[in-house]
């Protein structure tokens, strides 16, 4: 039987990027001693106060159908939080609630892009972005993010790729996989381009609260002159160590949210009321775990960079935020895919850079989310493996 064009467009964006991770999981389940550093699971459980709120709400009967926009109590909490942090006023109708950032991003992209359009995306990019753009029928236009520029998007690189078909620019700051953060001047230059050429900016801000000491997060939503063309997506998955609850949102102008609402309601019709109550508490009270995670991830990133660069030929890009660090494996004569598979046989699982971009074929992404004892074991194995490969090349 024939399936639709969208299934064909997405056929190459399935699970193959996660082969190393899935193989590692199978081998760990079979009893092998492998340290898993592939995906960004928080290193702490869901805060107990959030669990208790979810259970209390379920027992109180908050298990029925939701408002199609998302529960009003949650949208009110989001409006108050964003008004306090973005320097301008937001109302509940500036928000739509979704199960996680991924769904919010998918819906937002479906609201601004279609067949014949082009969407500019920083390259490297999170593994699902290609599929999100392809689902709309639009063409993805990569904008290079280079190590020389700290993996920060450059306005000149964007300007060189704008065409009459450009309909949106997808930003990720803090960035996955590199941990780079766009500053206010960076965002202002990009927003000026968006206004001059009349395209949308979609900002994935899920790592907003995972910023390391000395760095600062800035949202394009703070640039009030460009507010009507900025859409942001986020969730409690990272900041509140709650990825399994799938609770996220989209924020934009009321006109955009009104236009997207019928699509959202057709897809899922709001979020679960008991999860909305839990998320309201998370939004109002802030995170009891984000600061600790950020401090640990920053410390582990520093330790990784210091040790590998002192004791091996490997090169580490120091992140400013997030859950990951990038390692350039070219100095030991390997590409990222071969390195990841070879390293798996030496007891450490990492993600090949090619999962995020063809430009990262010499890199791997390392999760900083494992506990300190496992991290020390992984470091020792990384150093031993790299030095053995260096000797082979010599």
């Amino acid at each position: 039987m024939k399936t639709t064009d969208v299934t064909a467009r997405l056929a190459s964006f399935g699970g193959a990027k996660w082969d190393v991770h899935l193989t590692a999981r199978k081998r760990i389940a079979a009893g092998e001693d492998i340290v898993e550093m592939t995906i960004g699971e928080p290193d702490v459980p869901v805060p107990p106060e959030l669990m208790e709120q979810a259970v209390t709400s379920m027992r109180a009967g908050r298990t029925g159908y939701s408002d199609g926009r998302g529960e009003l109590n949650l949208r009110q909490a989001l409006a108050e939080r964003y008004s306090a942090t973005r320097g301008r006023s937001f109302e509940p109708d500036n928000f739509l609630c979704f199960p996680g950032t991924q769904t919010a991003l998918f819906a937002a992209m479906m609201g601004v892009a279609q067949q014949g359009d082009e969407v500019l995306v920083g390259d490297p990019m999170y593994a699902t972005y290609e599929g999100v753009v392809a689902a709309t029928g639009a063409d993805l236009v990569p904008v290079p993010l280079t190590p020389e520029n700290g993996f920060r998007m450059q306005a000149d690189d964007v300007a060189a790729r704008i065409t009459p078909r450009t309909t949106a620019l997808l930003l990720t700051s803090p960035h996955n996989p590199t941990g780079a953060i766009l500053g206010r001047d960076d965002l202002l230059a990009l927003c000026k381009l968006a206004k001059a050429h009349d395209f949308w900016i979609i900002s994935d801000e899920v790592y907003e609260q995972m910023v390391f000491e000395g760095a600062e997060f800035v949202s394009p939503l703070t640039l009030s002159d460009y507010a009507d063309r900025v859409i942001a997506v986020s969730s409690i998955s990272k900041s509140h160590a709650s990825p399994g609850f799938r609770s996220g949102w989209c924020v934009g102008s009321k006109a955009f949210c009104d236009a997207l609402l019928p699509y959202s309601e057709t897809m899922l019709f709001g979020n679960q009321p008991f999860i909305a109550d839990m998320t309201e508490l998370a939004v109002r009270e802030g995170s009891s775990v984000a600061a600790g995670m950020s401090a640990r991830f920053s410390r582990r990133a520093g330790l990784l960079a210091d040790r590998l660069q002192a004791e091996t030929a490997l090169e580490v890009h120091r992140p400013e935020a997030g859950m990951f660090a990038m390692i350039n494996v070219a100095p030991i004569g390997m590409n990222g895919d071969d390195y990841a598979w070879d390293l798996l046989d030496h007891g450490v699982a990492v993600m090949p850079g090619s999962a995020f971009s063809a430009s990262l074929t010499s890199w791997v992404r390392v999760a900083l989310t494992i506990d300190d004892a496992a991290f020390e074991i992984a470091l020792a194995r990384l150093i031993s493996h790299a030095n053995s490969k260096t000797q082979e090349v010599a």
Side-chain angles (χ1 to χ4, degrees):
M1 296 292 289
K2 183 180 179 181
T3 58
T4 62
D5 290 347
V6 69
T7 63
R9 291 198 299 269
L10 297 180
S12 63
F13 300 128
K17 294 181 178 183
W18 307 97
D19 281 350
V20 174
H21 167 70
L22 296 173
T23 300
R25 284 278 173 98
K26 290 179 182 178
R27 290 170 61 170
I28 291 169
E32 289 192 45
D33 177 16
I34 294 172
V35 181
E36 183 184 301
M37 305 179 78
T38 46
I39 62 174
E41 291 276 4
D43 66 347
V44 292
V46 178
E49 63 271 20
L50 299 188
M51 294 283 284
E52 291 167 9
Q53 180 61 66
V55 171
T56 297
S57 292
M58 282 190 282
R59 287 176 174 161
R62 294 279 285 154
T63 56
Y65 286 117
S66 173
D67 185 313
R69 289 181 178 267
E71 293 295 278
L72 178 59
N73 59 311
L74 172 54
R75 291 187 292 113
Q76 183 64 52
L78 287 166
E80 293 173 14
R81 173 192 154 188
Y82 275 73
S83 295
T85 60
R86 300 309 193 255
R88 60 187 184 87
S89 179
F90 289 83
E91 300 295 333
D93 284 353
N94 290 122
F95 298 86
L96 296 174
C97 296
F98 295 92
T101 309
Q102 180 66 31
T103 314
L105 177 60
F106 178 85
M109 192 64 72
M110 292 295 288
V112 303
Q114 60 189 347
Q115 194 87 33
D117 291 336
E118 292 178 344
V119 177
L120 304 169
V121 184
D123 182 23
M125 66 194 71
Y126 179 57
T128 68
Y129 285 179
E130 288 180 287
V132 167
V133 174
T136 71
D139 295 322
L140 186 151
V141 178
V143 179
L145 311 178
T146 66
E148 295 76 19
N149 290 318
F151 291 108
R152 293 182 186 86
M153 186 174 286
Q154 304 296 297
D156 287 346
D157 292 331
V158 173
R161 288 158 178 82
I162 295 171
T163 75
R165 296 171 58 200
T166 303
T167 191
L169 169 64
L170 174 54
L171 302 178
T172 318
S173 180
H175 187 255
N176 181 5
T178 69
I181 299 177
L182 292 172
R184 185 177 182 83
D185 289 344
D186 298 320
L187 293 170
L188 183 59
L190 295 171
C191 284
K192 287 180 177 179
L193 286 174
K195 185 173 183 178
H197 297 275
D198 192 24
F199 58 80
W200 294 91
I201 286 183
I202 302 179
S203 180
D204 182 343
E205 301 178 351
V206 71
Y207 286 102
E208 171 185 351
Q209 296 187 51
M210 309 300 295
V211 174
F212 299 165
E213 185 176 358
E216 180 184 9
F217 166 77
V218 181
S219 169
L221 289 170
T222 63
L223 303 176
S224 57
D225 289 346
Y226 307 94
D228 287 347
R229 66 180 62 251
V230 175
I231 305 157
V233 296
S234 194
S235 72
I236 62 170
S237 294
K238 308 299 186 183
S239 59
H240 291 76
S242 303
F245 276 93
R246 312 309 303 138
S247 185
W249 53 87
C250 167
V251 52
S253 68
K254 183 179 183 302
F256 174 77
C257 290
D258 287 348
L260 192 63
L261 179 60
Y263 180 86
S264 172
E265 289 179 328
T266 302
M267 182 169 63
L268 59 96
F269 214 97
N271 61 335
Q272 303 91 326
F274 69 94
I275 292 181
D277 294 345
M278 169 189 165
T279 308
E280 178 195 4
L281 178 65
V283 170
R284 291 193 183 281
E285 299 296 325
S287 175
S288 60
V289 296
M293 284 193 289
S294 296
R296 290 190 298 277
F297 301 160
S298 177
R299 175 171 49 78
R300 290 170 191 154
L303 182 61
L304 181 79
D306 291 344
R307 290 284 305 276
L308 293 190
Q309 292 181 176
E311 301 177 44
T312 77
L314 297 171
E315 299 173 353
V316 179
H317 171 73
R318 292 177 183 259
E320 298 177 283
M323 296 180 164
F324 309 102
M326 300 296 299
I327 302 175
N328 184 358
V329 301
I332 64 170
M334 301 186 75
N335 64 54
D337 287 86
D338 291 343
Y339 175 90
W341 285 109
D342 197 69
L343 183 65
L344 186 60
D345 291 332
H346 288 74
V348 182
V350 299
M351 285 291 289
S354 61
F356 309 98
S357 171
S359 69
L360 290 182
T361 54
S362 297
W363 296 75
V364 295
R365 189 191 75 172
V366 176
L368 305 168
T369 54
I370 59 175
D371 65 43
D372 288 342
F375 196 81
E376 287 289 347
I377 293 170
L379 264 179
R381 293 176 181 177
L382 285 164
I383 292 167
S384 174
H385 175 262
N387 287 335
S388 70
K389 292 301 170 183
T390 301
Q391 290 172 6
E392 287 178 14
V393 173

